[in-house]
Amino acid sequence: MLVPLLPRTPACAIAADTALRPELDEKACRRQADLLTERQKRLREHQPRARAVLPVSALRCRVGEPGVMDEQLQALQEAAERRDVTGAQLHGENARRRTR
């Protein structure tokens, strides 16, 4: 399980594409990350309402160099602290079982 596409940092997106889409060369991975960055910018401008639930496994899954996930976790923390983000929570891997 990885961090969903929209909240990914460019470095995390490139690392995930490199690992999961070996048919893409470095230039194509960079282009995909640039498109993601543009999509994120447009979404922030329009401020749509969205919900994302990230399991702990997505936060623990390491992609790319060691600093990639550190940067990703920092970006998620900063997003959770923004005024336009509400109800930011971290749900454990077994949350579904505990609610039964």
Side-chain angles (χ1 to χ4, degrees):
M1 171 69 72
L2 297 175
V3 171
L5 182 61
L6 278 176
R8 283 185 195 164
T9 62
C12 186
I14 289 170
D17 278 347
T18 299
L20 300 175
R21 300 178 68 190
E23 74 277 6
L24 296 179
D25 62 14
E26 185 178 334
K27 186 176 178 180
C29 289
R30 178 79 245 168
R31 176 74 179 132
Q32 291 295 109
D34 290 344
L35 291 171
L36 172 63
T37 300
E38 183 63 29
R39 187 178 309 136
Q40 291 168 337
K41 178 183 169 190
R42 289 182 183 192
L43 285 171
R44 279 192 299 273
E45 290 170 358
H46 297 286
Q47 296 183 346
R49 196 173 277 215
R51 173 178 274 187
V53 177
L54 304 178
V56 171
S57 60
L59 302 176
R60 290 184 182 158
C61 183
R62 300 287 176 192
V63 295
E65 300 293 319
V68 170
M69 285 308 293
D70 292 338
E71 178 186 53
Q72 180 64 66
L73 293 172
Q74 180 65 34
L76 290 170
Q77 180 65 38
E78 289 170 6
E81 293 171 359
R82 290 190 350 232
R83 290 186 342 199
D84 61 325
V85 174
T86 59
Q89 298 177 2
L90 180 63
H91 294 276
E93 294 166 316
N94 62 351
R96 178 178 291 156
R97 274 184 255 151
R98 284 196 315 244
T99 60
R100 287 185 178 177

